[in-house]
Amino acid sequence: MPPYVVALDVGGTSMKGGVVTADGTVAHTESRPTPRPADAAVAAIRAFVADLMTTEPGTPAGIGIVVPGLVTDDAARYSANIGWRDVPAGAFTPPSAAGVPIRLGHDVRTAGLAESVLGTGRDLSDFLFLPIGTGIAGAMIIQDAPYAGATGWAGEIGHIPVFPGGETCACGQTGCLETYASASAIPRRYTHKTGIPATTAEVIAAAPTDPAAQEVWTDALEALSLALATYTLLLDPAAIIVGGGLSQAGETLLTPLRPRLSSRLTFRPAPPLHTSSLGPHAGMLGAALLAWQASETDTWHPPDVPPPPMVS
Amino acid sequence: MPPYVVALDVGGTSMKGGVVTADGTVAHTESRPTPRPADAAVAAIRAFVADLMTTEPGTPAGIGIVVPGLVTDDAARYSANIGWRDVPAGAFTPPSAAGVPIRLGHDVRTAGLAESVLGTGRDLSDFLFLPIGTGIAGAMIIQDAPYAGATGWAGEIGHIPVFPGGETCACGQTGCLETYASASAIPRRYTHKTGIPATTAEVIAAAPTDPAAQEVWTDALEALSLALATYTLLLDPAAIIVGGGLSQAGETLLTPLRPRLSSRLTFRPAPPLHTSSLGPHAGMLGAALLAWQASETDTWHPPDVPPPPMVS
């Protein structure tokens, strides 16, 4: 067995684990629910790491774990979603991992790192990776690295006020991007208008013929075009790469979004819009990159790994 | 005479020139109008540099010139305002400056550089410098350096759509920050409402008692709070430093702006708001920093120069 790392992408509802070998192959991947309360989540992560380690002989070269909220290399500082505060990295690893280097990372920024090393952004030094799922946050890649800001709070594009005085967001503010354009906002707003339950894909599919679906989808596109125009004017990215659940809509999303974005930019061109080539694996692959970085081995040279990822 | 540099801040209406010695002292400073068309502006810059050089014996260690628009280290690529395209740095210097190293820079980003080295931002690695004058643009200091984006267009915060569908901006878009909050927008909007000519300072002073002035000033504060909340959510700056003409309002601007900004941020604190300590000299002092960088002498160590600037 060649050297390998254990990688874990911890989300609010589920965790995606992987065993990644030195040539970039994902030898094993598995998903599990993220339990509550926070103590149970920490214990479940520890057990998941232990189980992933048993899928290969020998000990891993490193362990990478990405989590939501505020996080440093060696501690999960805060997550409103999972409910923890100041969990040291060591609490996430089982006794069998004693001595194995570990690195923590922010879920969205680390997914952006994976996009920049392995994915659609691999030839770009400055871009936005925008996963649109139940929430919306951005990984701002600036000069080849994810940017965390002065205090670790950068990239909260989901809460910029695109429609001031608009609908109330879970964050307490009004008119946030996420309230109109997330993969959970679209069905929620449709059902609120019509009383009819629907999935995001159903609302998008119905937009050409159903006025309520049309209105919800148009609002989502307008909110996204305002947010992306704002991002472009501030940060001048070389591209915007959309990921997360909504990116599965592909050109159904990007084709109407491109002219809307361009129409909001009068004195400069719009950056190209793409969908992520890593899809839902971006966070876990990014965690593997962190694990290889933590291992301080030069076994793997991620920029040389041919994309798209070789997921088994 | 100790080593000195020649520094020039070229604006759309006027140019500010300076001779800056090795201990950071501004030995001479002078303003001149910026003529048109573009050829006349280039000739006027060349003559200004020649005249500044004659104020001190010997040749300068370097020349720094900052200009609006798109610019690289060695050419002014484009300015809609002045009207030039692709002017090489050498066109800005007189024959007497042959052999003197020259560096060009972007006016706003270079003023931000001066704020980060000499001014209010000198202890901060990540902040926004926001000069509010006849227009609004931002210098985004990221990890101790001004950030230009992928194509040199970063920082156009004056044109982010704070009130979608709002008033039409000179750029052709609607609802831009600059249309509500620039030092020229405030008197223009007041006069449009009332037919009464007024200066920015007069509108601000009248706001407590004159309903039209109150409305214009409130719109400006609202527009700024929306733009700064958006910047904070995206970039998580350690501080926001306001410069330009409107910063002369000082706490009259910042005191009402702070609670408005905080109220738009629910899950994170607002960064502190300050006014620039360099005032209208920021661009020229930044040009001097570029000139010292171009000189490749280690005569001057700008971070060691005690702020505020010692302008003679």
Side-chain angles (χ1 to χ4, degrees):
Chain A
M1 173 69 193
Y4 72 97
V5 293
V6 166
L8 206 54
D9 177 6
V10 178
T13 55
S14 70
M15 308 187 281
K16 193 181 311 306
V19 172
V20 183
T21 63
D23 65 355
T25 305
V26 179
H28 177 80
T29 184
E30 181 184 341
S31 285
R32 296 184 181 181
T34 307
R36 295 289 189 288
D39 286 353
V42 174
I45 292 168
R46 200 162 50 226
F48 201 173
V49 170
D51 292 348
L52 288 168
M53 285 174 63
T54 64
T55 67
E56 300 291 337
T59 53
I63 297 169
I65 302 176
V66 304
V67 299
L70 274 179
V71 55
T72 60
D73 283 356
D74 55 9
R77 292 292 171 206
Y78 172 71
S79 166
N81 188 331
I82 300 180
W84 60 39
R85 268 191 181 277
D86 295 318
V87 183
F92 293 125
T93 51
S96 57
V100 177
I102 176 169
R103 184 163 300 170
L104 304 185
H106 182 263
D107 53 355
V108 176
R109 280 194 288 275
T110 307
L113 172 69
E115 286 292 342
S116 82
V117 172
L118 302 166
T120 308
R122 65 191 175 278
D123 296 324
L124 304 174
S125 58
D126 300 80
F127 67 92
L128 171 66
F129 173 58
L130 186 71
I132 305 178
T134 53
I136 302 179
M140 308 160 65
I141 307 298
I142 291 181
Q143 293 167 349
D144 287 312
Y147 180 65
T151 63
W153 277 115
E156 292 286 355
I157 191 170
H159 297 284
I160 71 172
V162 290
F163 295 131
E167 295 179 13
T168 300
C169 178
C171 81
Q173 261 307 332
T174 60
C176 298
L177 169 63
E178 174 170 309
T179 299
Y180 294 90
S182 76
S184 55
I186 291 168
R188 185 193 68 240
R189 295 188 74 234
Y190 180 79
T191 301
H192 183 77
K193 283 180 196 295
T194 62
I196 302 166
T199 65
T200 304
E202 287 166 351
V203 176
I204 297 172
T209 54
D210 175 340
Q214 172 83 61
E215 186 182 338
V216 166
W217 183 231
T218 300
D219 285 351
L221 292 169
E222 275 298 282
L224 280 169
S225 73
L226 284 161
L228 296 184
T230 293
Y231 189 93
T232 299
L233 288 160
L234 284 176
L235 280 136
D236 182 26
I240 294 169
I241 300 172
V242 180
L246 201 65
S247 71
Q248 290 165 19
E251 286 301 317
T252 304
L253 169 65
L254 299 190
T255 298
L257 193 53
R258 287 190 188 99
R260 285 176 192 268
L261 173 58
S262 289
S263 74
R264 296 196 176 276
L265 299 168
T266 50
F267 56 85
R268 57 152 299 150
L273 303 183
H274 305 294
T275 52
S276 159
S277 61
L278 304 181
H281 294 282
M284 188 270 285
L285 290 166
L289 292 173
L290 296 186
W292 284 108
Q293 287 174 5
S295 76
E296 294 185 352
T297 62
D298 58 358
T299 310
W300 200 34
H301 301 278
D304 300 326
V305 174
M310 295 161 288
V311 176
S312 65
Chain B
M1 173 70 195
Y4 72 96
V5 294
V6 165
L8 205 56
D9 176 7
V10 179
T13 55
S14 71
M15 308 186 281
K16 193 182 312 304
V19 172
V20 183
T21 63
D23 65 355
T25 305
V26 179
H28 176 79
T29 183
E30 181 184 340
S31 284
R32 296 183 181 181
T34 308
R36 296 288 189 288
D39 285 354
V42 173
I45 292 168
R46 201 162 48 226
F48 201 173
V49 170
D51 292 348
L52 288 168
M53 286 174 63
T54 64
T55 67
E56 300 291 337
T59 53
I63 298 169
I65 302 176
V66 304
V67 299
L70 274 179
V71 56
T72 60
D73 282 358
D74 55 9
R77 292 291 171 207
Y78 172 71
S79 165
N81 187 331
I82 300 180
W84 59 39
R85 268 190 181 277
D86 295 318
V87 184
F92 293 125
T93 51
S96 58
V100 178
I102 177 170
R103 185 163 300 172
L104 304 185
H106 182 262
D107 53 355
V108 176
R109 281 195 287 275
T110 307
L113 172 70
E115 287 291 343
S116 82
V117 172
L118 302 166
T120 307
R122 65 190 175 278
D123 295 323
L124 304 174
S125 57
D126 299 80
F127 67 92
L128 171 65
F129 173 58
L130 185 71
I132 306 178
T134 53
I136 301 179
M140 309 160 64
I141 307 299
I142 291 182
Q143 293 167 349
D144 287 313
Y147 180 66
T151 63
W153 277 114
E156 292 285 356
I157 191 171
H159 297 285
I160 72 171
V162 291
F163 295 132
E167 295 179 13
T168 300
C169 178
C171 82
Q173 260 309 331
T174 59
C176 298
L177 170 64
E178 174 170 310
T179 299
Y180 294 89
S182 76
S184 55
I186 291 168
R188 186 194 67 239
R189 295 188 75 233
Y190 179 79
T191 302
H192 183 79
K193 283 179 195 296
T194 63
I196 304 166
T199 65
T200 304
E202 287 165 352
V203 175
I204 297 173
T209 53
D210 174 340
Q214 171 82 62
E215 186 182 339
V216 167
W217 182 230
T218 299
D219 285 351
L221 292 169
E222 276 296 283
L224 279 169
S225 73
L226 284 162
L228 296 184
T230 293
Y231 189 92
T232 299
L233 288 161
L234 284 176
L235 281 138
D236 181 27
I240 294 169
I241 300 171
V242 181
L246 201 65
S247 71
Q248 289 165 20
E251 285 301 318
T252 304
L253 169 65
L254 298 191
T255 298
L257 193 52
R258 287 190 188 98
R260 285 177 192 268
L261 172 58
S262 289
S263 74
R264 295 196 176 278
L265 299 168
T266 50
F267 56 85
R268 57 152 298 149
L273 303 183
H274 304 295
T275 52
S276 160
S277 61
L278 303 182
H281 294 281
M284 188 270 285
L285 289 166
L289 291 173
L290 296 185
W292 284 109
Q293 286 174 6
S295 77
E296 294 184 353
T297 61
D298 58 359
T299 311
W300 201 33
H301 300 279
D304 299 325
V305 174
M310 294 161 289
V311 176
S312 65

